[in-house]
Amino acid sequence: MALRKNFGCLWILGLCLVTSRCSPQVPSISDQGFIDQCVKAHNDFRGQVSPSAADMKYMTWDEGLAKTAKAWTRGCVFKHNTCLSKKNGCHPDFQFVGENIWLGGVGTFNPRNAITSWYNEVKFYTFRNNSCSKVCGHYTQVVWANSYKVGCAITICPNLGGRNTGLFACNYAPP
């Protein structure tokens, strides 16, 4: 009987260890390391624009935009926020807000990888006539010279592809 009781305790302990090890963690919108990674990646890519923009603004973090991104990603729906088309619908200080969304694995997630995927749409963008041969709206939002505020968030969304799937969104102002 004692052996069976000890085995049961070991089994429960093992299950707890496996469960906790397999549960991915994502940074909060107040995590300074996360904030710094998001802002730095955006500013790094904005500095690579060719031709360079004489009026490119430096991107800084906006807590309100991050809260909007977090509220939207919590819904675990891979589409754009419905507040984007409503004047003053997403943020009290900005009439309109832009948004980029990304879906992928959270096990090795870092903001730079997602933002890089948006920036890489540059290959579909033609500066000369401000047009796209394929999707490049994520790229143009990352490097839009007038945007100077960003707020990002990630949420684990098992319903979108598995227990390690994350929905990452960045909101921009002005769009």
Side-chain angles (χ1 to χ4, degrees):
M1 182 67 143
L3 182 61
R4 200 158 79 176
K5 188 175 183 181
N6 287 341
F7 178 73
C9 289
L10 285 174
W11 186 84
I12 290 171
L13 177 63
L15 179 63
C16 290
L17 289 172
V18 168
T19 303
S20 65
R21 190 167 6 124
C22 293
S23 298
Q25 297 293 315
V26 294
S28 75
I29 60 173
S30 60
D31 178 309
Q32 193 59 51
F34 174 74
I35 292 168
D36 292 345
Q37 288 176 40
C38 292
V39 171
K40 182 175 181 350
H42 278 90
N43 285 318
D44 287 351
F45 287 125
R46 292 164 71 81
Q48 294 177 25
V49 174
S50 180
S52 61
D55 60 346
M56 181 73 75
K57 296 192 174 33
Y58 185 78
M59 193 71 78
T60 60
W61 188 257
D62 184 272
E63 184 180 347
L65 291 173
K67 286 179 179 179
T68 299
K70 188 62 178 182
W72 184 250
T73 62
R74 277 189 188 128
C76 290
V77 178
F78 188 56
K79 66 177 188 174
H80 287 287
N81 195 326
T82 55
C83 74
L84 299 174
S85 60
K86 300 172 189 162
K87 189 175 181 179
N88 297 105
C90 292
H91 196 284
D93 297 333
F94 298 103
Q95 288 186 359
F96 293 100
V97 169
E99 180 181 65
N100 282 343
I101 55 177
W102 173 92
L103 187 67
V106 296
T108 58
F109 170 79
N110 71 61
R112 181 172 285 281
N113 291 345
I115 298 163
T116 298
S117 71
W118 298 331
Y119 181 82
N120 284 342
E121 291 178 1
V122 64
K123 61 187 165 208
F124 306 121
Y125 178 72
T126 305
F127 174 78
R128 188 174 57 260
N129 58 4
N130 189 28
S131 66
C132 302
S133 61
K134 291 185 181 178
V135 173
C136 74
H138 304 101
Y139 162 75
T140 57
Q141 182 58 81
V142 168
V143 302
W144 199 252
N146 291 332
S147 296
Y148 64 95
K149 290 289 186 182
V150 65
C152 306
I154 183 167
T155 299
I156 297 171
C157 296
N159 66 305
L160 293 177
R163 71 174 183 219
N164 292 325
T165 300
L167 179 60
F168 177 67
C170 289
N171 290 131
Y172 303 86

